[in-house]
Amino acid sequence: MRFALVFCIPLFAAAQVTPEAIANSPNAEWLTYHGDYSARRHSSLKQITPDNAKSLVAKWVFHIDGAKKLEASPIVHRGLMYISNTNEIYALDARNGRKVWHYSAKNAKGTRVNRGSAILGDKVYFVTADCHLIALNRSTGNLIFDVTYASFDAGYTTSIAPLAIRNGILVGVAGGGSGQRGFVAALHPDTGKEVWRFWTVPGKGEIGSETWGGFPAEMGGAPTWTTGSYDPQLNLVYWPTGNPWPDFYGGRRPGDNLYSDCVLALDAATGKLKWHFQFTPHDVWDWDANENPVLLDAVFRGKPRKLLVQANRNGFYYILDRETGEFLHAKPFVTKLDWTSGLDDRGRPKVIPEKIPTPAGTKVCPSVRGASNWMSPSYNPATGLFYVVALEQCDMIVASAKEPVASSGFRGTGNEGIPTEPGRFFLRALDVLNGEIKWQYPMPGPGVMWAGTVSTAGGVVFTGDDDGNLVAVDAKTGKDLWHFSTGHSLFASPVTYMLDGKQYVTIAAESDVFTFGLFQGN
Amino acid sequence: MRRAIFSIFSVCLCSLFAQRNLIPTDSPAVEAGRQIYMGACSGCHGATGEGSQGPSLLSGRASRLPDRTLLNSIQNGLPGTSMPNFPMGSEKINQVAAFVRSLTAPAITTQPAGDVERGKRYFFGAGKCSTCHMILGQGGHPGPDLSNIGSERTSGQILESIMKPSARIAEGYRGVVAALKSGPTIQGVAKNHNNYSVQILDKDGRLHLLNREEIAKLELMDASLMPSTSDAAEARHLVAFLARQSTRMKEGALSK
């Protein structure tokens, strides 16, 4: 099995991806699900501006055979784009969309969607629906390892884009709606062996277990199904958690149900908890806090602060001190919000008792889908604006006191929309330091989208809308600059990158990956 | 209503499972079936099931028949088609079906005979297979990764690739030489190519993403870059080793 040919010296050298490079992106490249560690999704690229955005044209489309609901943000590095689907990943030539390699975990169990990959060193990582972390050589797609980090047979599944930091590939699990015990784990980048694991529901006798009234930790939920953020200087990982289980009936889990609906600050080296902040104690509305925790430094009320901000599913935009977890400020970013009379000075909501779901049904705003969800927001330091897709909607929620059985489909009963009050999406620009809405871009449509945003230094914000369009708007004013109808519903967030001096914008849409750039003749 | 649908679904599911495992998998049955097949079936379906007058048994609907349907098709034929009935008794019918199944059974499930350790030594040693192929990150470029080959190919396909590497070249592994207008020549395998671009993986595992306008001359090879071997004994041990390369079968060992 020898090659008879003599090979010449290669021209294209594969580079190692370092944590420092990730921390300094996104620039010409897009190196994590969020673009960088801060989850700001703000690119330094300036070629596309409000003046020329009208000249954007489609550059290429890549079809993924069998894909039905692409939700991934692609990663772009050294001319290759990595785009994942359920149990598979492709590497494409990012200039033209030509397939370079494809890896399919053919024997993987489960069909859950996949939200993306991570890169570090010479490897690309992604998870399969049955909670395997797979490491591949970035250039060839050759398998390096395939390890299990949670049992599919025990009910675990996942859709997460991993986060690669120096000492670990961070992964999480779904399960808030089916009664598994959530956790965040760091797996060794070279071997996949577990470095640390933090359980998001404390075990019996552990701190926080007293907030469950004896409910079994093994069924507590608090899943970790979205990608966290990371501060390399503080060496803290910020990981959001989902709802306690059963979703809509809390009678058997009296208490705050830590660490559900939280953002956790974990020591990146050990996984130990430094602080936590819980947005919705004792959640009975399925308001996971898995929305992106966005990190930024700013002068807040006259003092330089390291901040963490999040537009939460419960309808409030939060500002926290990310060194200490101190609650600093919150403000509703939707008008349809009726479950609380406000927050106290520590950020704890004052719940209106009539808004706790009952067997007869209770109308609650926001809806179960939330005022926002996992669709990515973005933040532009130049405008000071935080761009978030918001949903104005209420639901009828029905609660049941049935005995909970994990993995049975039981969620404490459920929710349904109100036919006369359909949901409506908006792209909203919030003042990042107080949450005031500066402008909004309405999105007419059927109310099905889950697309997010990317911000650029060129002064353009790209977002998917509720009618299947990729849209460019002016970052300062929200003025509509350009749109392209993909012919699909959108469930992913766009990214941007530059190759050969050309800026591109990419979004995945159901079964196809669309890439755009400025018209440049031939 | 939901319960009724569930019950019907359960019955169907049970029936499906009940149809499985009707066909033997042991080597004597497969070998006996092979002898019958060569006399009775290969004329239409080809010696290795590739199909000729009759459909391929390696892909398409004919490769996915449930056990009961396959057995009935052999015994009773398929009315309205050229497939005749073979009233040879249930034991022989089962043996033929066993051989047909073996044509598409992943190598990991058939566990072909041979000295696995010797095959491994040959792969990483004298055979120099690992110069161009990898298993779980060990080996070289630019040949196909073989980490999961036991689950992806039959034993027969693996043997064919060793003995006749040019018989079938996997997508993305066609040899290519690109002479660039700027001077250098790049050799490797074409991961993809069309009239506008070519993506080449070289022996060092480096990718060259090229526009066709950068290339003075592009030569795509019809023959595999892999040399064949005539050593049938070593090939047998190599097949035994490669047949056992299956990542998911090893997941326990790979996990923490």
Side-chain angles (χ1 to χ4, degrees), chain A residues 73-353:
Chain A
S73 276
I75 280 177
V76 183
H77 175 65
R78 300 283 290 191
L80 283 184
M81 174 181 290
Y82 303 96
I83 179 80
S84 57
N85 181 36
T86 304
N87 302 330
E88 64 178 343
I89 184 168
Y90 290 81
L92 310 178
D93 187 329
R95 298 166 306 165
N96 50 38
R98 300 288 291 171
K99 183 179 78 175
V100 176
W101 56 255
H102 171 223
Y103 182 90
S104 174
K106 295 186 182 71
N107 297 327
K109 304 168 193 167
T111 57
R112 191 175 281 270
V113 299
N114 188 282
R115 302 219 168 90
S117 54
I119 58 174
L120 188 69
D122 61 355
K123 301 180 188 66
V124 55
Y125 305 86
F126 81 110
V127 298
T128 52
D130 53 356
C131 299
H132 284 233
L133 177 68
I134 292 179
L136 307 170
N137 179 286
R138 279 193 292 105
S139 297
T140 64
N142 285 0
L143 180 68
I144 308 301
F145 65 73
D146 174 343
V147 297
T148 314
Y149 66 88
S151 169
F152 180 78
D153 293 336
Y156 282 105
T157 182
T158 191
S159 56
I160 197 166
L163 183 67
I165 63 174
R166 186 175 304 281
N167 67 321
I169 307 302
L170 306 185
V171 292
V173 292
S178 54
Q180 276 70 47
R181 184 187 184 193
F183 67 87
V184 187
L187 309 180
H188 195 284
D190 294 331
T191 64
K193 289 189 174 174
E194 191 167 301
V195 179
W196 54 255
R197 175 180 295 216
F198 181 84
W199 290 102
T200 57
V201 182
K204 196 172 182 181
E206 293 177 354
I207 295 171
S209 61
E210 72 282 0
T211 66
W212 287 86
F215 190 80
E218 291 70 26
M219 299 197 295
T224 48
W225 51 275
T226 52
T227 309
S229 48
Y230 172 56
D231 184 328
Q233 278 71 48
L234 298 176
N235 206 29
L236 289 177
V237 169
Y238 301 94
W239 213 270
T241 68
N243 62 284
W245 186 82
D247 308 36
F248 305 111
Y249 179 70
R252 286 191 168 82
R253 48 175 173 82
D256 282 356
N257 307 144
L258 291 173
Y259 297 98
S260 66
D261 290 355
C262 283
V263 62
L264 308 171
L266 303 174
D267 185 302
T270 64
K272 293 195 181 313
L273 181 67
K274 180 167 184 187
W275 59 258
H276 75 275
F277 180 82
Q278 189 174 39
F279 301 93
T280 313
H282 191 74
D283 178 11
V284 286
W285 305 278
D286 192 11
W287 287 331
D288 301 64
N290 297 94
E291 299 73 53
N292 294 352
V294 179
L295 313 183
L296 58 108
D297 297 343
V299 176
F300 183 84
R301 294 175 185 158
K303 180 182 172 187
R305 292 263 200 178
K306 293 180 182 295
L307 303 176
L308 181 155
V309 303
Q310 189 197 57
N312 193 274
R313 197 159 154 175
N314 71 13
F316 284 89
Y317 169 78
Y318 290 85
I319 304 175
L320 308 178
D321 183 312
R322 74 171 182 274
E323 289 187 271
T324 64
E326 179 187 356
F327 169 77
L328 299 176
H329 179 75
K331 186 177 178 65
F333 63 97
V334 288
T335 55
K336 292 194 173 183
L337 191 161
D338 67 359
W339 63 284
T340 172
S341 57
L343 310 183
D344 68 17
D345 58 5
R346 302 183 68 181
R348 186 180 180 86
K350 301 168 201 167
V351 176
I352 296 172

Side-chain angles (χ1 to χ4, degrees), chain A residues 1-3 6-8 10-12 80 93 95-96 98-100 128 130 132 139-140 142-143 146-147, chain B residues 127-129 132 137 145 171 185 187 191-193 197 199 202-203 205 207-209 225 227 247-248 251:
Chain A
M1 289 195 178
R2 294 168 295 271
F3 279 93
V6 177
F7 294 88
C8 71
L11 299 177
F12 187 95
L80 283 184
D93 187 329
R95 298 166 306 165
N96 50 38
R98 300 288 291 171
K99 183 179 78 175
V100 176
T128 52
D130 53 356
H132 284 233
S139 297
T140 64
N142 285 0
L143 180 68
D146 174 343
V147 297
Chain B
K128 297 187 178 178
C129 314
C132 303
D145 184 35
E171 178 195 350
T185 296
Q187 293 180 299
K191 303 304 295 179
N192 211 337
H193 72 98
S197 69
Q199 293 75 25
D202 72 19
K203 74 176 180 63
L207 280 169
H208 305 261
L209 308 177
L225 295 180
T247 55
R248 292 269 164 163
E251 73 178 43

